[in-house]
Amino acid sequence: MSDSIASHEKLVEFDLVQSHYKKVGDHEIRADFIIPHAQCTGKRPLIVRFHGGGLITGDSLSMEWFPQWLLDLAKEHNAVIATANYRLLPEATSLDIFEDIEDFWTWLHSLDVEQLLLSCVNPTKLDLGRIITAGESAGGLLSVCLALAHPDEIRAATASYPCIDMASAHFSAPNPVPLTDPPVPESLIDETLAQIKPGSIKSYALLPDRLDLMLAAIHYGRLTHLYERGIESSHRRGARYPLERIDQPDAKIPCGGIAIIQGLQDDVVPAGGNQNFVEKARQVLKGKPGVDKIILTLREGSHGFDIPTCLEEQWIQEHLKGAVAAWLA
């Protein structure tokens, strides 16, 4: 995969370093480092990014879902993007996914990563004191959750149309308007569940693989069920539901805040969930560091509208201004 992806037009000004950050049974889970070609004598700031796909499909290097502005941001500041795969629903549980995210976070701070990056063609050192997170859709959920889990170690968080409110009716009850024409049959979900063998693992799906499954899970209001499948609903809810995490007395956010992008015509992840999160976070965390930097930028557009956006566009620069300043301070 690395040869074909490394030559992708979006990556022509970057080096790609690939590794596995953990192994579950015989299954290795991959992580990728996207490193600007420019030489750097010091340590490079780090962008920790997670891919979208409803936690059901996608890959850390699904370039059709990789925002151009994020690559531009890395290039402008000579930063490294670390983007990881993780176990996917419905083979995995949501607890498995968050276990993977924490293991990836730990691995990033390990001697193994330090040696890996020093031995690559463009020897690189990470500045682990300057970390910003990013992610799109389901990856945006993971970006925000990681920032809430490590608010003192992450300078700022960004997220594009994150499915923050996974308990909402949009993900737990049937939606009257299908996301595809013709609609994906609901039977696809049940057939997939019936075919899962005990212990099976899937940590990436190259598009369009399983895209129909993800869209069906949302259309028929079964994504929340898949998110809760196989676990006690009350178990570690704070780690999995940001709206509940911020209610906890010890809740904090990074000093650079949380910057969320949302399309007003998004029917995959509606604006309401993110508006609710931002309003609630500003209220319940009032007075805590970073709360004044919780930003929600609403734009005309559907799911994924920002993917081709370049960093030079005024609105994205304004949106990121506070988060980037805190990240690089």
Side-chain angles (χ1 to χ4, degrees):
M1 179 180 181
S2 59
D3 291 340
S4 60
I5 291 295
S7 61
H8 191 281
E9 62 180 359
K10 283 188 174 181
L11 296 179
V12 293
E13 298 183 75
F14 298 87
D15 293 316
L16 177 62
V17 176
Q18 297 186 287
S19 184
H20 297 98
Y21 69 92
K22 70 180 291 184
K23 191 173 184 179
V24 182
D26 294 328
H27 186 95
E28 294 180 313
I29 305 179
R30 197 185 79 244
D32 305 286
F33 294 95
I34 299 172
I35 306 171
H37 282 162
Q39 296 296 315
C40 181
T41 55
K43 294 182 178 181
R44 299 179 191 251
L46 179 62
I47 302 169
V48 177
R49 178 261 179 183
F50 301 103
H51 72 81
L55 304 173
I56 290 173
T57 186
D59 181 87
S60 60
L61 293 176
S62 293
M63 299 313 296
E64 56 267 68
W65 284 353
F66 214 113
Q68 182 60 50
W69 63 262
L70 191 63
L71 293 164
D72 292 346
L73 184 68
K75 191 166 58 173
E76 178 165 315
H77 299 292
N78 219 355
V80 174
I81 300 175
T83 178
N85 282 332
Y86 45 86
R87 281 174 284 179
L88 297 171
L89 306 175
E91 290 86 354
T93 68
S94 56
L95 288 178
D96 293 333
I97 294 171
F98 284 96
E99 177 186 290
D100 292 346
I101 300 310
E102 281 297 321
D103 288 344
F104 174 59
W105 175 255
T106 300
W107 179 76
L108 283 174
H109 293 75
S110 71
L111 183 60
D112 288 345
V113 167
E114 182 179 344
Q115 293 174 339
L116 171 70
L117 295 181
L118 284 175
S119 64
C120 65
V121 174
N122 186 1
T124 295
K125 292 183 179 180
L126 299 178
D127 186 346
L128 296 172
R130 293 193 294 170
I131 298 176
I132 191 170
T133 65
E136 311 79 50
S137 196
L141 168 68
L142 301 180
S143 170
V144 171
C145 286
L146 186 66
L148 292 175
H150 301 278
D152 296 324
E153 300 165 83
I154 292 169
R155 293 282 185 90
T158 70
S160 300
Y161 28 86
C163 49
I164 280 182
D165 193 0
M166 286 291 291
S168 70
H170 180 73
F171 298 118
S172 60
N175 293 289
V177 180
L179 298 174
T180 58
D181 185 16
V184 180
E186 186 174 7
S187 58
L188 175 63
I189 303 172
D190 298 310
E191 290 167 2
T192 301
L193 293 174
Q195 293 169 4
I196 293 176
K197 297 178 180 178
S200 61
I201 298 173
K202 196 168 184 70
S203 63
Y204 68 91
L206 301 180
L207 300 173
D209 185 25
R210 292 165 55 118
L211 181 59
D212 282 355
L213 178 63
M214 183 267 284
L215 294 173
I218 296 174
H219 175 208
Y220 297 105
R222 296 180 60 177
L223 187 58
T224 303
H225 168 75
L226 295 180
Y227 196 64
E228 291 296 336
R229 181 174 174 267
I231 60 176
E232 290 289 334
S233 179
S234 61
H235 191 49
R236 294 192 62 203
R237 284 189 68 88
R240 299 180 294 119
Y241 290 94
L243 278 157
E244 297 180 27
R245 175 69 182 98
I246 59 177
D247 273 329
Q248 297 177 8
D250 63 342
K252 296 171 62 177
I253 66 169
C255 64
I258 301 173
I260 298 174
I261 295 169
Q262 178 67 52
L264 289 169
Q265 288 77 39
D266 194 331
D267 54 2
V268 177
V269 179
N274 290 314
Q275 290 173 312
N276 290 341
F277 172 77
V278 167
E279 291 169 6
K280 181 176 181 180
R282 288 171 177 168
Q283 179 181 356
V284 302
L285 301 176
K286 187 176 181 180
K288 293 188 176 183
V291 173
D292 59 328
K293 298 183 180 69
I294 299 176
I295 303 296
L296 175 62
T297 296
L298 298 169
R299 299 282 295 182
E300 296 294 325
S302 56
H303 203 67
F305 77 96
D306 67 313
I307 299 300
T309 301
C310 296
L311 185 63
E312 65 185 16
E313 291 199 26
Q314 185 62 37
W315 75 266
I316 193 72
Q317 287 191 18
E318 187 62 29
H319 171 75
L320 294 170
K321 183 178 179 180
V324 169
W327 172 43
L328 300 176

